[in-house]
Amino acid sequence: MDPQGGHYLNKSAVLSGLGAARMCQLLLGCTTMALVAHSAGFSATYGTYCMFVWCFCFAVTLVVFTLDVTRLHGCMPISWDNFTVAFAMLATLMYVTASVVYPVYFLRSECPSEGCEVRNYRIAVTVCSSVCCFAYGAEVFITRAKPGHVVGYMATVSGLLKVVQAFIACIIFGALANDSEYNRHIPTQYCVVVYSLCFAVTVVVVALTVSGRTSSLRFPFDRFVVIYTFLAVLLYLSAAVVWPIFSFDKKYGTPGRPEDCPRGKCPWDSKLVIAVFTSANLVLYFTDLVYSQRIRFVSHSSA
């Protein structure tokens, strides 16, 4: 080996706060999957979603950790820093939802028919999954933009908010698909168009940033993002007004939850979820608009 060539392995990828966070993610993720596969178990759509979250995040984290240690990420045709912080933010959100959904549907105070040992395993799964949320959150905290440092767009508040906005839009889509009765009124169909349009553009913004292609575009990408965010605020504002009116007003919908509505398959519940997360995304887009006006894009691939 050429002594002037430097080391092939990146020791800082292990012996650093970021490396410690990623190793904790791998350890906790592997433990969670092992507990579920051994005795805790999962079933139905919600259980499958939780298992997908744990497997997907573990697999991507393992790839990220390996590429960082071996320095092979420099061969990837992407903006590495933008990709890793965006994934860490997404993994945090996915783990939070899995850590809430799993105990709600699989954990009870009394022992299940399979025995108390299964309940104890499910408690352990919930604890490991919850702790792993903080491990991914720690990575976001470590790699976030800091004053005086030049970082990728995804490490800024505006970039991280883009990931949260897209994730919340996915929750809205899930509620829409769960018998939300959105096709009963044209205004509620308009709201679906708003959610779909904003989600699509947000994903494109994230994809272009992560791919490191923003500097090759023939228009100022930062100005485009600010203009789009402003339009998204207006669109979500209209949806935040229209959806509740045509879902809960006496003339078009039901103000209160019907007593005979089954849990998990109640259109009123889906409508409420959509109304709440529409307002949440409105706040996020407005906050994004405030921060995005002072962002300078960095689209190069980090070595």
Side-chain angles (χ1 to χ4, degrees), residues 51-158:
M51 196 60 177
F52 167 77
V53 167
W54 297 322
C55 294
F56 170 76
C57 292
F58 176 81
V60 178
T61 301
L62 181 61
V63 172
V64 167
F65 184 70
T66 302
L67 292 177
D68 204 12
V69 170
T70 58
R71 302 180 188 270
L72 291 176
H73 62 79
C75 303
M76 302 288 288
I78 60 174
S79 178
W80 181 251
D81 290 341
N82 280 319
F83 169 74
T84 53
V85 71
F87 167 71
M89 186 72 248
L90 176 62
T92 302
L93 297 171
M94 295 179 72
Y95 255 92
V96 168
T97 55
S99 301
V100 172
V101 168
Y102 190 82
V104 166
Y105 286 94
F106 297 97
L107 190 59
R108 297 290 183 269
S109 57
E110 65 276 2
C111 295
S113 58
E114 298 89 342
C116 292
E117 183 181 1
V118 173
R119 183 196 61 179
N120 295 336
Y121 272 100
R122 290 176 178 176
I123 293 174
V125 168
T126 303
V127 171
C128 289
S129 182
S130 301
V131 174
C132 201
C133 295
F134 293 97
Y136 280 106
E139 178 174 350
V140 175
F141 180 80
I142 293 171
T143 57
R144 77 193 191 285
K146 303 175 184 65
H149 291 75
V150 177
V151 296
Y153 170 70
M154 297 307 302
T156 66
V157 173
S158 184

Side-chain angles (χ1 to χ4, degrees), residues 147-292:
H149 291 75
V150 177
V151 296
Y153 170 70
M154 297 307 302
T156 66
V157 173
S158 184
L160 295 174
L161 285 175
K162 288 288 189 298
V163 179
V164 183
Q165 292 158 7
F167 186 80
I168 288 182
C170 290
I171 296 177
I172 293 176
F173 292 143
L176 285 169
N178 190 26
D179 196 21
S180 63
E181 300 178 343
Y182 68 87
N183 55 352
R184 284 192 174 185
H185 307 287
I186 293 178
T188 52
Q189 295 177 26
Y190 158 79
C191 292
V192 176
V193 173
V194 170
Y195 304 141
S196 303
L197 177 63
C198 292
F199 172 76
V201 179
T202 298
V203 169
V204 169
V205 169
V206 173
L208 287 174
T209 306
V210 169
S211 65
R213 299 293 185 268
T214 57
S215 59
S216 62
L217 298 175
R218 296 185 178 182
F219 56 88
F221 192 66
D222 51 349
R223 182 176 298 178
F224 164 77
V225 170
V226 173
I227 294 174
Y228 153 67
T229 306
F230 174 71
L231 294 176
V233 170
L234 296 180
L235 290 171
Y236 259 93
L237 180 61
S238 64
V241 174
V242 170
W243 183 268
I245 291 177
F246 285 85
S247 296
F248 306 117
D249 186 82
K250 291 182 180 180
K251 184 177 179 180
Y252 305 102
T254 306
R257 189 182 191 277
E259 295 181 358
D260 58 345
C261 222
R263 180 190 175 190
K265 295 183 179 180
C266 182
W268 194 90
D269 292 343
S270 297
K271 293 176 182 178
L272 180 62
V273 169
I274 294 168
V276 170
F277 282 100
T278 297
S279 299
N281 240 2
L282 172 61
V283 174
L284 291 175
Y285 274 108
F286 180 77
T287 305
D288 186 4
L289 179 63
V290 173
Y291 277 94
S292 63

Side-chain angles (χ1 to χ4, degrees), residues 33-47:
M33 291 186 296
L35 290 171
V36 173
H38 179 62
S39 285
F42 67 97
S43 60
T45 303
Y46 298 105

